[in-house]
Amino acid sequence: MDLYITLAVTIGMMAMFIWGKYAYGLITMTCCVILAATGVLPLSGAFSGFCNQIVVLIAPTLALSEALKRTSLIGSFGTLLDRMKGTHGTLLILAFYAVGIIMAQFIPTTGSIAILIVFLATLGNTGDITTKRVMMPLLGVMVAWKFRTPIGLGATTFAMVNGFAGDILAPEHQLSLLDPFLYAIVPSVCLTIYCIFCWKLMPKDDSAIDESKLKKQAQVELLPMNKQYIVYGVFVVVVALMLFNILNLRYLAPAIGVIILIFTGCLKVPEAVKPMTSDMIWMIAGVLAVADALSKSGASELIGSALQSGLAHVTNPYIICLIFSAVTVIMTTFLSNTATQAVLIPIAASICAAAGWDPRGLLLIIGTCNYFAIAFPSGSGEAAVTFAAAGYNPVKILKFTGPYCLIAIVTCGIMAQIMYPLY
């Protein structure tokens, strides 16, 4: 019964996202209440998303952003972007992409996009290049390169994938440090090119972003210069802690920064509390709880069993790779990245061990494609942040996200067979 309730709640959540009448946070919190009321999750589990490290990272980051908005930096940055929009629009977009790619190597993408949203908001809501049109393509570029290079967070990708396979994986079939990077070069480049040239597929529907809010900076009373310097210093230190994970404080760094700003009088408690309890935080916490319910209810095992049965009569290696690519993207739309890998990697390793195939291509597919689910807010923490910040309707932006996911599926499937043929 838990399985059917969870599936019904998930389908209802996705339908409400598409309908777009109610705030995303309200929708996901309603789902949490239903899951707790029906006993699918215990009360603590239904609202455990608020204790998740992603929320611990994002909530204070939003509060830091509020303090940053009260400095002259944001106003100056907005003026610069206004000038570039008219004369160097493409260069402006490329600059955001480049910064996003670099940040995605060292800082969790949820935190990176939350930081960049502060600067993206200064693009305004008029002209061809707007906040809403650029935010999703920027996310597309960032997840295309997320954990890809063998430095920073990407240095552990191969070990994580090997770990999910466990003893099923023969020593000669374990991934090496460079495998995820070399494998992802073609998919990442193709997706980046798509985002560079096709960001205009994003609709010009400006209804979800309030222009008055984006221009609010002009009406905000700036902090005294001495306090602005404190905000700059704290922001730099927080980013450094997140980049290099000094003292293992990557996820706690924003919270430490907010506390310092409050004690130094740069940020008032109500100013900090408001963004940390915003609809975005509700939404992320709720999505994480629903994903957890899907995993615990047996939905992931059901999908895995269906996949294993469906592949029984498929012999073309390219089709097998493409199926795994598609299933990974689809599963990650509903389950967490970790749950998707935890289910699919052992299945892929078992199928290959039984058939005498090389599993490395399939493992690379699963370890890479689980980041490309950007078509719905439930695809990942960073997708939830982006959808909530820009107020996207999943259907209205499908013209951009649909081809993006298709390119990811096809390139990842083909490259897996080229790099490590199944047989």
Side-chain angles (χ1 to χ4, degrees):
M1 181 58 71
D2 286 357
L3 173 61
Y4 299 115
I5 294 173
T6 305
L7 290 175
V9 168
T10 304
I11 293 171
M13 181 182 73
M14 306 305 283
M16 294 294 283
F17 283 163
I18 294 171
W19 188 17
K21 184 175 181 180
Y22 299 100
Y24 288 154
L26 175 61
I27 295 170
T28 57
M29 283 299 103
T30 301
C31 293
C32 291
V33 170
I34 294 173
L35 292 172
T38 54
V40 174
L41 289 177
L43 191 61
S44 58
F47 298 95
S48 61
F50 287 104
C51 301
N52 188 280
Q53 64 180 13
I54 293 176
V55 173
V56 172
L57 173 72
I58 291 297
T61 299
L62 297 179
L64 280 176
S65 299
E66 288 300 310
L68 201 60
K69 289 175 184 176
R70 297 189 62 194
T71 67
S72 56
L73 173 66
I74 299 302
S76 301
F77 194 80
T79 301
L80 174 63
L81 294 188
D82 280 339
R83 292 174 184 170
M84 292 187 67
K85 281 172 66 175
T87 56
H88 304 287
T90 302
L91 182 61
L92 173 61
I93 293 174
L94 290 176
F96 269 113
Y97 287 175
V99 172
I101 289 172
I102 294 171
M103 292 182 70
Q105 307 312 309
F106 302 97
I107 301 176
T109 314
T110 45
S112 301
I113 197 70
I115 292 171
L116 290 175
I117 282 171
V118 182
F119 300 98
L120 279 172
T122 61
L123 286 172
N125 206 32
T126 58
D128 223 23
I129 302 176
T130 66
T131 304
K132 190 172 181 180
R133 296 188 85 186
V134 175
M135 195 178 297
M136 179 56 73
L138 173 61
L139 175 66
V141 171
M142 291 177 71
V143 298
W145 293 96
K146 178 181 179 180
F147 301 165
R148 296 280 66 88
T149 58
I151 55 175
L153 298 172
T156 63
T157 301
F158 80 102
M160 184 181 298
V161 174
N162 289 338
F164 279 122
D167 296 334
I168 305 173
L169 203 61
E172 65 271 18
H173 288 151
Q174 291 190 348
L175 299 180
S176 67
L177 174 66
L178 291 178
D179 279 338
F181 170 66
L182 297 175
Y183 164 75
I185 289 176
V186 171
S188 298
V189 169
C190 289
L191 291 170
T192 302
I193 292 172
Y194 171 76
C195 291
I196 290 173
F197 290 101
C198 298
W199 61 270
K200 290 186 178 181
L201 291 175
M202 291 293 294
K204 273 189 158 184
D205 176 14
D206 303 326
S207 58
I209 293 184
D210 188 345
E211 179 69 14
S212 64
K213 291 182 181 179
L214 294 179
K215 292 185 176 180
K216 196 174 180 181
Q217 171 65 25
Q219 305 167 359
V220 170
E221 182 180 353
L222 298 181
L223 292 167
M225 284 308 302
N226 62 324
K227 290 187 176 180
Q228 288 192 38
Y229 291 139
I230 294 175
V231 173
Y232 296 148
V234 168
F235 190 78
V236 169
V237 171
V238 166
V239 171
L241 289 173
M242 294 170 69
L243 279 173
F244 304 109
N245 199 23
I246 300 171
L247 299 176
N248 202 28
L249 293 175
R250 173 171 285 135
Y251 288 92
L252 279 178
I256 295 171
V258 170
I259 291 172
I260 293 173
L261 291 180
I262 292 175
F263 275 116
T264 55
C266 299
L267 192 65
K268 296 178 181 178
V269 172
E271 293 172 336
V273 170
K274 185 176 180 180
M276 289 197 292
T277 55
S278 64
D279 181 73
M280 182 187 297
I281 300 304
W282 283 32
M283 176 187 176
I284 297 172
V287 164
L288 292 170
V290 173
D292 185 49
L294 280 169
S295 300
K296 292 181 177 178
S297 66
S300 55
E301 287 77 6
L302 182 64
I303 296 171
S305 299
L307 173 64
Q308 202 160 6
S309 300
L311 288 173
H313 304 292
V314 180
T315 56
N316 187 303
Y318 283 99
I319 293 178
I320 293 173
C321 289
L322 289 172
I323 289 174
F324 266 96
S325 296
V327 170
T328 302
V329 172
I330 293 170
M331 280 187 67
T332 309
T333 300
F334 304 100
L335 300 170
S336 69
N337 303 99
T338 303
T340 298
Q341 294 185 84
V343 171
L344 290 183
I345 287 176
I347 289 175
S350 298
I351 291 174
C352 291
W357 297 344
D358 187 335
R360 288 175 290 182
L362 296 185
L363 299 185
L364 288 168
I365 286 174
I366 299 165
T368 302
C369 281
N370 72 94
Y371 297 121
F372 295 147
I374 66 170
F376 278 91
S378 55
S380 63
E382 50 265 32
V385 170
T386 304
F387 272 86
Y392 291 127
N393 182 305
V395 173
K396 291 184 178 180
I397 65 169
L398 195 59
K399 187 164 61 172
F400 175 84
T401 57
Y404 178 95
C405 292
L406 183 61
I407 292 170
I409 290 169
V410 172
T411 54
C412 285
I414 292 175
M415 281 306 300
Q417 179 58 17
I418 291 175
M419 187 171 174
Y420 288 117
L422 283 176
Y423 54 86

